[in-house]
């Protein structure tokens, strides 16, 4: 996706504050809060079902990789296909561990530095098959698509796919205009690293070269603060980062781990699908 395209979504104010299609901790089925009612004259030209809206938004976010959505299938640039929705109702933990592409498509919530609601973790859900398709299915395959980004004197490896590295460079340029923020951005604790998420078997976003951890000495992470707690346990919230830093990252297509109930305030992740309106 072009960086100009993402910037236009952000400039339009598309950081949304309502959740749709969420699954709660009691294993209730997702419900779609988006109305399907449209003016009569538009019914023949615009999709009205939420699934199609979500799939089209995903394709719009990754136009270099996803070329179309038809009959429940995503079609990729190489002609291969993948189901968008596996049709399964999942608990919160099942969505984290076995997400399809549809499970990822929630409206992103910017909590403006306030504590997120219980299990509000928009963006922690990742369709591993989709990310492997776009960025590489092994460490070696991902490595072939990495490029170097200058991050306040550090040389970081980041994926060139989908314009991710270009977006990170844009973040660095904007942070540099605010000297008071640089101390929160450096040093980076890492970008590409093929590994599983701590305490889980699913792959980390770092495995695909699309995530950056910033200054750990100023960071808070729920697993550090609540060792041994499960994914549905009640926890408190901690954050020492200024919200302005998250706003800069968001303008370039990055979500922030500080907007998660399971907070990871050092973590920023390139996820342009959350800045496309649907």
């Amino acid at each position: 996706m072009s960086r100009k395209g993402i910037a236009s979504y952000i400039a339009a104010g598309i950081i949304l504050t309502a959740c749709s299609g969420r699954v709660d901790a009691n294993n209730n089925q997702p419900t779609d809060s988006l109305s399907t009612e449209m003016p009569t004259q538009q019914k023949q030209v615009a999709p009205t079902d939420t699934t199609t809206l979500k799939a089209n938004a995903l394709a719009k976010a990754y136009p270099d990789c996803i070329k179309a959505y038809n009959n429940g299938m995503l079609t990729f640039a190489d002609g291969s296909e993948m189901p968008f929705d596996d049709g399964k109702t999942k608990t919160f933990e099942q969505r984290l561990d076995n997400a399809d592409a549809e499970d990822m498509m929630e409206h992103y919530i910017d909590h403006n530095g306030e504590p997120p609601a219980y299990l509000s973790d928009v963006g922690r859900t990742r369709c591993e098959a989709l990310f492997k398709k776009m960025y590489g299915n092994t460490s070696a395959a991902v490595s072939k698509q990495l490029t170097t980004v200058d991050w306040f004197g550090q040389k970081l490896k980041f994926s060139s796919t989908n314009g991710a590295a270009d977006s990170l460079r844009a973040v660095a340029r904007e942070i540099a205009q605010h000297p008071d923020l640089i101390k929160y951005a450096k040093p980076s604790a890492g970008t590409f690293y093929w590994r599983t998420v701590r305490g889980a078997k699913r792959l980390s976003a770092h495995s695909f070269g699309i995530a950056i951890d910033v200054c750990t000495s100023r960071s808070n992470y729920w697993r550090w603060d609540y060792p041994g707690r499960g994914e549905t346990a009640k926890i408190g919230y901690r954050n020492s980062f200024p919200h302005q830093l998250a706003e800069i990252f968001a303008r370039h297509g990055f979500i922030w781990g500080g907007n998660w109930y399971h907070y990871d305030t050092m973590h920023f992740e390139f996820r342009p699908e959350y800045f496309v309106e649907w």
Side-chain angles (χ1 to χ4, degrees):
M1 183 180 196
S2 72
R3 300 307 95 222
K4 182 178 179 181
I6 286 182
S8 68
Y9 298 138
I10 309 300
I14 306 170
I15 297 181
L16 303 175
T17 57
C19 272
S20 174
R22 306 273 314 269
V23 174
D24 67 22
N26 295 318
N27 194 19
N28 292 326
Q29 294 187 10
T31 59
D32 293 325
S33 60
L34 182 64
S35 173
T36 59
E37 295 182 3
M38 301 182 67
T40 302
Q41 65 271 23
Q42 295 184 17
K43 287 186 177 179
Q44 300 303 315
V45 297
T48 59
D49 67 283
T50 305
T51 298
T52 298
L53 291 171
K54 290 179 178 179
N56 287 344
L58 183 66
K60 191 173 183 179
Y62 298 107
D64 293 342
C65 295
I66 303 174
K67 293 306 179 183
Y69 169 72
N70 290 294
N71 299 319
M73 304 294 290
L74 296 171
T75 302
F76 295 94
D78 63 2
S80 62
E81 293 185 323
M82 176 185 297
F84 176 66
D85 183 2
D86 61 17
K88 297 178 181 178
T89 299
K90 298 165 188 169
T91 65
F92 176 80
E93 292 177 285
Q94 287 170 340
R95 283 164 64 92
L96 291 176
D97 292 334
N98 297 291
D100 58 26
E102 191 275 339
D103 290 327
M104 299 193 313
M105 297 303 291
E106 302 175 278
H107 288 311
Y108 185 48
I109 304 175
D110 183 359
H111 294 282
N112 198 30
E114 296 299 317
Y118 177 58
L119 302 188
S120 178
D121 279 356
V122 179
R124 285 186 74 212
T125 300
R126 307 175 190 95
C127 177
E128 195 167 295
L130 174 63
F131 281 78
K132 285 182 175 179
K133 183 67 181 179
M134 293 195 295
Y135 297 107
N137 61 1
T138 64
S139 177
V142 174
S143 294
K144 291 179 181 179
Q145 301 186 59
L146 299 178
T147 187
T148 301
V149 174
D150 187 349
W151 186 260
F152 304 101
Q154 288 180 270
K155 301 298 183 182
L156 304 180
K157 293 297 184 180
F158 218 71
S159 181
S160 59
T161 302
N162 295 316
D166 287 339
S167 290
L168 188 60
R169 293 185 184 103
V171 170
R173 289 194 296 269
E174 189 168 349
I175 291 174
Q177 297 172 19
H178 303 275
D180 56 316
L181 294 180
I182 295 176
K183 63 187 177 184
Y184 297 98
K186 73 171 194 178
S188 167
T191 51
F192 169 65
Y193 180 25
W194 185 273
R195 63 174 176 82
T196 56
V197 172
R198 186 182 302 221
K201 296 181 179 180
R202 58 187 181 273
L203 285 174
S204 164
H206 289 277
S207 299
F208 304 106
I210 59 169
I212 178 173
D213 287 343
V214 296
C215 184
T216 54
S217 65
R218 300 177 185 273
S219 300
N220 301 106
Y221 179 42
W222 75 280
R223 287 199 182 276
W224 292 346
D225 296 335
Y226 297 95
R229 296 286 184 92
E231 291 281 4
T232 57
K234 295 287 184 71
I235 59 174
Y237 179 79
R238 295 181 64 195
N239 169 47
S240 301
F241 281 84
H243 189 254
Q244 185 182 9
L245 187 68
E247 291 174 332
I248 291 173
F249 270 95
R251 278 193 284 273
H252 302 285
F254 286 79
I255 61 173
W256 177 41
N259 276 323
W260 297 338
Y261 180 78
H262 293 89
Y263 57 89
D264 186 356
T265 64
M266 75 188 88
H267 182 88
F268 293 90
E269 185 173 327
F270 181 69
R271 299 291 293 278
E273 69 269 29
Y274 289 115
F275 302 99
V276 180
E277 187 174 20
W278 54 267

